Amino acid sequence: MEIFFMPISNFENLLKSLQAESLFDFIITANNFTPLDLSIHNDELKTVNISSSNDLEQFIWKHITAHNAKVAYGGYLELRGIYQRSIYFNQQNTELERNIHLGLDLWIEAETPIFAPLEGSIHSFKNNTNYGDYGPALILKHDISNFTFYTLYGHLSLDSITQIKVGAEVKQGEQIATLGTAEVNGDYPPHLHFQILKDIQDYEGDYPGVCNKADLEFYQLNCPDPNLLLKL
């Protein structure tokens, strides 16, 4: 499928210029957010059983507490080992193994309310039930300054997608979801996967949040750094 890409510099400049609302019910400050490295290059993870959502959650909350923060964030284009636990991501060919993360993860407690950073409408939603997948996910469509693009919210609670309708308008700052637990979110510690999509292609309620090395160039163009918008 051939996809037309608008000049990336124009789109990135738009994202940088937008005044996004916080995804949570507190403001974005350096005290509230702390960066977290979950890549294969973080030696601290060598002592953690990353296949266990409980063990990984303990590691993450120890990190958050040590930095006196509310949220740990990171992961854009991060090469991760956590996906090796699931056949949904694994391939015998290492070039095809999906282990490069395409969104920004924000690690915080389950049932945390999630708010729309921008105005838009509900494009689609779905419960993605593969092991290691999003679980409940929601995608918003945004039409701003002659650009159409999408934001994806993964690892939500089941309640988040039970009483919403495709096409419904969403105001900036409106609550759109709550975070799910490991039992419904693909078996991860509670967190929000936030991703920006220039072209949704034919996906509904889902879009790859992890890619392989062979497809990285395409996905890096289609999924720019979410922090351009969030400005953490």
Side-chain angles (χ1 to χ4, degrees):
M1 177 181 179
E2 211 173 291
I3 294 179
F4 171 76
F5 287 108
M6 61 189 77
I8 191 166
S9 59
N10 290 347
F11 186 53
E12 287 185 344
N13 285 336
L14 171 67
L15 294 176
K16 291 177 182 178
S17 70
L18 295 175
Q19 297 298 312
E21 291 288 333
S22 174
L23 291 166
F24 308 112
D25 60 357
F26 48 85
I27 62 174
I28 297 173
T29 67
N31 291 333
N32 286 331
F33 293 80
T34 184
L36 174 65
D37 178 6
L38 292 181
S39 75
I40 62 172
H41 306 295
N42 186 351
D43 290 337
E44 292 183 16
L45 286 175
K46 293 179 180 179
T47 62
V48 180
N49 178 12
I50 58 176
S51 294
S52 165
S53 59
N54 288 332
D55 290 0
L56 185 57
E57 183 172 2
Q58 290 180 25
F59 172 82
I60 291 169
W61 276 102
K62 182 178 179 180
H63 178 86
I64 292 173
T65 301
H67 291 82
N68 197 29
K70 294 182 178 179
V71 187
Y73 73 94
Y76 180 64
L77 300 188
E78 200 167 71
L79 182 62
R80 291 177 169 177
I82 188 174
Y83 307 114
Q84 292 177 355
R85 66 185 183 144
S86 172
I87 60 173
Y88 182 61
F89 297 100
N90 278 330
Q91 299 283 344
Q92 290 183 342
N93 184 336
T94 56
E95 286 290 312
L96 299 180
E97 181 183 350
R98 295 170 58 206
N99 55 13
I100 303 172
H101 191 251
L102 298 170
L104 187 76
D105 281 339
L106 299 109
W107 306 87
I108 192 172
E109 296 173 333
E111 301 301 327
T112 296
I114 306 300
F115 299 85
L118 303 168
E119 65 177 11
S121 61
I122 296 176
H123 171 270
S124 54
F125 53 91
K126 180 183 176 183
N127 187 9
N128 303 276
T129 57
N130 291 299
Y131 180 59
D133 207 336
Y134 291 127
L138 168 66
I139 296 175
L140 299 184
K141 179 181 178 181
H142 309 279
D143 295 294
I144 300 175
S145 299
N146 297 319
F147 287 86
T148 296
F149 62 99
Y150 307 82
T151 51
L152 182 150
Y153 309 79
H155 309 298
L156 306 177
S157 67
L158 284 171
D159 287 346
S160 299
I161 61 170
T162 57
Q163 296 183 356
I164 58 176
K165 295 182 179 180
V166 170
E169 293 186 1
V170 174
K171 297 179 180 179
Q172 185 178 33
E174 178 182 344
Q175 183 177 343
I176 55 173
T178 58
L179 282 189
T181 62
E183 287 73 20
V184 300
N185 76 358
D187 191 38
Y188 293 100
H191 72 288
L192 176 68
H193 174 99
F194 178 75
Q195 189 168 333
I196 298 174
L197 314 169
K198 292 168 67 177
D199 191 321
I200 194 68
Q201 299 170 265
D202 296 323
Y203 287 92
E204 293 186 356
D206 187 21
Y207 192 86
V210 181
C211 77
N212 56 45
K213 183 178 179 182
D215 295 331
L216 177 58
E217 183 178 358
F218 167 81
Y219 283 112
Q220 189 171 357
L221 285 172
N222 200 41
C223 305
D225 186 352
N227 213 20
L228 294 172
L229 175 66
L230 298 182
K231 302 174 181 65
L232 304 180

